[in-house]
Amino acid sequence: MKILVPVKRVVDYNVKVRVKADSSGVDIANVKMSMNPFCEIAIEEAVRLREKGVATEVIAVSAGLLQCQETLRNAMAIGADRAILIETDVELQPLAVAKLLKAIVDKEQPGLVILGKQAIDDDANQTGQMLSALLGWGQATFASKVEVSGDTATVTREVDGGLETISLKLPAIITTDLRLNEPRYATLPNIMKAKKKQLDNVKPADLGVDVTPRLTTLKVEEPPKRRGGVKVADVAALMDKLKNEAKVI
Amino acid sequence: MANLVIAEHDHGSLKSATLNVISAAVAIGGDVHVLVAGENASAAAAAAAQVAGVSKVLLADGAAHAKLLTENAALQVVAVAAGYSHILAPATAYGKSVAPRVAALLDKAQISDIIKVVDADTFQRPIYAGNAYATVKSSDSVKVLTVRGTAFGAAAATGGSATVESVTAVADSGLSSFVSAELTKSERPELTAAKIIVSGGRGLGSGEKYRELLTPLADKLNAAMGASRAAVDAGFVPNDYQVGQTGKIVAPDLYIAVGISGAIQHLAGMKDSKVIVAINKDPDAPIFGVADYGLVGDLFELVPQLTAEL
Ligand SMILES: Cc1cc2nc3c(=O)[nH]c(=O)nc-3n(C[C@H](O)[C@H](O)[C@H](O)COP(=O)(O)OP(=O)(O)OC[C@H]3O[C@@H](n4cnc5c(N)ncnc54)[C@H](O)[C@@H]3O)c2cc1C
């Protein structure tokens, strides 16, 4: 069984982004870009399934600018066997990405697609579910444990009240949560090896997918600032503030 | 214009997040209908019919919805979707799982986690862990939205008198099935609806210390209990305690952060709280940058003192 893992190139999670003065977006020129942390967890899980003998091949796929190649090389350094870049400079929205991925799935016929639950830039949390619906497959979102045996996957999910375990008929979609695994570091030899792995390049038009955005961002603003910063001397002073100033207790 | 709200419920009653979504639908304008997809869920439907602002409840009662499987829920929404201009769900684990499926099946874009209705086509939503707010306009004929509960007040649970109409429940898709659930048992208020939250981080050191120090404090305040990702990853508390960009979004009247540094991912989940108190031994911890009242010192001394004073 093949496993397909879509990965997204995003602003690194340590960067605090700034809103542009003209409110057209956030300034991402010259900031560090990395693989979305949830996608890293997805790659790691797929590689582990291959190491266990459940999967035969792990294919990483990314959609976006040419620079996404770096993200794909990184995925291959973690252990993906090959990669596909769907290259476009059109602003891609989740529905368009899901359609592109569906076209790749139709071609590659994986038994499982593992995606991150959300990308930490647009925080949309949509692509996996959309892909699952377009394919007519089952889904397990927010996975913290995955077991595959035969043609079923048993997945424990992080839900609002705790944990829920469901069983999926393969092929299926899984989206990862933080506690599914701890991704390995890419070692230097593996980074070198990744440079030689196959990386194909396709365009949305090759896949017959219309990626025209449906949503227009009218403006991007700073959120309201909190005042903050007042320190109190001791517990008695805190109690006084909470009772008499904030009046919350 | 007509809005369809996807109710989150446990068959017998509505989850509180549904009330916030109804408020968002009222803000959009037009009729507000609520879909309850469940099994033996007439009590949840009756509760939805009481909510102020709701004019009709659609009850899809059937075995396919017994375990609230998201594939079946999405098919149910699509089955009744004709005629609605807006389809809304809470931005909860359930809503986030169902709504994008609905959007894709209808070939419509989704706008996630809205915090403001600008007009019927335009919504504000946080991006980059809440470090920026984007105003987004949709050109689609149907808008699929998830709603951040803390940004919209809860609709009054009573005062409405909607009609309940039964609709045919979809058949089970057979794509997934329920195995088991391990839900955290708690007598405390629900994290996302609580007025006061006591939240602990890595600074507590262990699950024993988390409970030993924070439980008595939370008991005195009748507070819900939360945590940072580090505290959850280290196994101090279950996953459903996590507050943040990728956990729960909360906005209580009072949020007490104990031994939490204040990483942007954590702040994303709690910085809309009315009053924030931080207890941390590091005077430069970023949490103090958002705290109304900061107490610098050893939490192992300060927390018991605070509990004793209450
Ligand atoms: C993709 C991604 C998603 C994430 N999502 C979330 C999320 O949703 N929620 C979240 O919380 N985090 C999230 N994080 C993690 C986040 O970046 C931080 O690592 C995390 O919030 C740190 O938790 P903490 O404050 O408990 O631990 P630390 O940062 O280690 O802080 C511990 C604090 O305790 C204080 N302390 C220690 N001992 C004492 C003492 N005796 N008395 C007083 N103070 C003491 C220290 O001074 C320190 O400030 C995410 C990270 C990534 C990469």
Side-chain angles (χ1 to χ4, degrees):
Chain A
M1 166 176 93
K2 291 184 196 173
I3 301 181
L4 191 75
V5 184
V7 295
K8 186 174 185 185
R9 178 176 180 266
V10 298
V11 171
D12 187 84
Y13 80 96
N14 273 314
V15 174
K16 188 166 189 284
V17 294
R18 266 173 228 294
V19 171
K20 286 190 197 162
D22 66 358
S23 302
S24 63
V26 299
D27 192 359
I28 59 167
N30 306 317
V31 304
K32 183 176 176 205
M33 303 295 285
S34 297
M35 190 190 304
N36 178 43
F38 290 100
C39 302
E40 241 179 297
I41 296 171
I43 286 280
E44 175 67 32
E45 195 63 18
V47 171
R48 287 186 191 185
L49 287 168
R50 191 199 55 215
E51 289 167 347
K52 277 189 212 156
V54 172
T56 49
E57 190 183 32
V58 176
I59 309 164
V61 47
S62 191
L65 302 174
L66 187 64
Q67 288 93 315
C68 296
Q69 280 183 343
E70 288 164 31
T71 316
L72 290 169
R73 291 284 173 210
N74 185 0
M76 291 190 285
I78 296 173
D81 297 289
R82 62 184 170 93
I84 303 167
L85 170 65
I86 308 167
E87 192 189 340
T88 173
D89 53 13
V90 175
E91 179 210 325
L92 292 176
Q93 295 174 349
L95 183 61
V97 176
K99 289 180 180 179
L100 292 169
L101 293 174
K102 177 175 185 295
I104 300 288
V105 167
D106 289 343
K107 208 163 131 235
E108 297 284 350
Q109 302 283 315
L112 200 55
V113 182
I114 309 181
L115 309 85
K117 75 165 177 179
Q118 82 191 61
I120 59 166
D121 51 2
D122 61 18
D123 284 330
N125 201 327
Q126 300 177 10
T127 306
Q129 298 87 313
M130 286 182 158
L131 175 61
S132 177
L134 294 176
L135 289 164
W137 292 5
Q139 69 180 24
T141 47
F142 323 142
S144 66
K145 190 169 168 215
V146 173
E147 268 165 45
V148 179
S149 97
D151 62 354
T152 46
T154 306
V155 182
T156 302
R157 310 174 51 223
E158 294 198 354
V159 294
D160 291 334
L163 297 171
E164 180 193 74
T165 303
I166 62 173
S167 159
L168 295 174
K169 205 178 76 186
L170 299 183
I173 301 284
I174 293 172
T175 75
T176 63
D177 217 316
L178 293 168
R179 281 158 287 272
L180 181 57
N181 62 50
E182 238 182 273
R184 70 195 70 182
Y185 287 103
T187 61
L188 192 59
N190 286 339
I191 292 171
M192 300 310 290
K193 251 193 257 163
K195 290 190 175 153
K196 298 204 189 74
K197 290 184 181 173
Q198 180 185 341
L199 198 169
D200 296 323
N201 188 314
V202 297
K203 303 279 184 311
D206 304 335
L207 301 171
V209 176
D210 175 10
V211 293
T212 313
R214 309 281 188 90
L215 306 173
T216 317
T217 298
L218 302 181
K219 62 178 171 194
V220 174
E221 298 159 279
E222 282 293 341
K225 277 252 180 320
R226 277 194 84 93
R227 231 173 354 101
V230 179
K231 299 224 171 85
V232 292
D234 52 25
V235 167
L238 176 63
M239 286 295 296
D240 176 58
K241 292 280 191 195
L242 292 177
K243 273 194 185 136
N244 303 316
E245 190 177 83
K247 299 189 168 64
V248 283
I249 56 171
Chain B
M1 239 169 15
N3 299 280
L4 180 65
V5 170
I6 305 171
E8 181 163 358
H9 63 86
D10 59 8
H11 310 284
S13 63
L14 289 180
K15 298 274 185 195
S16 65
T18 308
L19 300 175
N20 306 89
V21 182
I22 290 169
S23 292
V26 168
I28 291 168
D31 284 343
V32 177
H33 298 176
V34 175
L35 171 66
V36 175
E39 189 189 39
N40 300 324
S42 49
Q50 300 275 302
V51 179
V54 176
S55 59
K56 197 200 299 185
V57 175
L58 303 177
L59 172 60
D61 210 305
H65 298 306
K67 295 296 177 188
L68 306 174
L69 295 171
T70 54
E71 297 89 346
N72 294 339
L75 290 173
Q76 189 69 59
V77 177
V78 171
V80 302
Y84 291 104
S85 55
H86 295 76
I87 298 174
L88 302 92
T92 55
Y94 177 74
K96 287 175 187 174
S97 299
V98 175
R101 283 191 84 91
V102 172
L105 292 172
L106 297 174
D107 192 23
K108 303 293 180 238
Q110 173 179 311
I111 304 181
S112 296
D113 227 8
I114 63 163
I115 55 172
K116 191 166 145 190
V117 174
V118 178
D119 62 37
D121 303 321
T122 315
F123 307 89
Q124 196 180 48
R125 63 177 303 265
I127 53 175
Y128 288 95
N131 285 307
Y133 287 175
T135 302
V136 180
K137 188 180 166 89
S138 169
S139 58
D140 277 334
S141 55
V142 178
K143 279 81 181 163
V144 179
L145 310 166
T146 61
V147 175
R148 177 172 288 199
T150 54
F152 296 88
T158 55
S161 55
T163 53
V164 178
E165 186 182 306
S166 282
V167 296
T168 311
V170 295
D172 182 24
S173 72
L175 297 171
S176 69
S177 57
F178 175 83
V179 176
S180 63
E182 200 182 301
L183 301 181
T184 308
K185 284 186 196 71
S186 169
E187 303 291 300
R188 295 182 186 283
E190 208 187 309
L191 198 50
T192 51
K195 294 244 177 295
I196 302 182
I197 296 174
V198 172
S199 199
R202 196 190 328 252
L204 282 148
S206 69
E208 290 74 59
K209 287 290 172 197
Y210 177 100
R211 283 183 292 276
E212 187 187 315
L213 269 86
L214 300 192
T215 306
L217 178 60
D219 284 346
K220 282 222 167 147
L221 292 166
N222 187 29
M225 297 179 79
S228 70
R229 174 192 173 181
V232 176
D233 282 3
F236 300 180
V237 290
N239 62 280
D240 51 300
Y241 282 47
Q242 184 178 314
V243 170
Q245 178 190 15
T246 63
K248 287 184 181 156
I249 307 292
V250 301
D253 291 341
L254 175 60
Y255 187 89
I256 305 182
V258 179
I260 293 178
S261 62
I264 46 176
Q265 292 86 5
H266 188 78
L267 301 184
M270 45 65 78
K271 69 182 161 63
D272 291 332
S273 304
K274 275 206 194 90
V275 174
I276 298 174
V277 169
I279 300 179
N280 196 305
K281 68 177 178 190
D282 172 8
D284 297 324
I287 190 78
F288 289 123
V290 300
D292 298 273
Y293 306 118
L295 197 49
V296 180
D298 184 2
L299 67 90
F300 295 101
E301 285 168 23
L302 295 171
V303 173
Q305 278 179 31
L306 179 60
T307 308
E309 289 268 334
L310 282 163

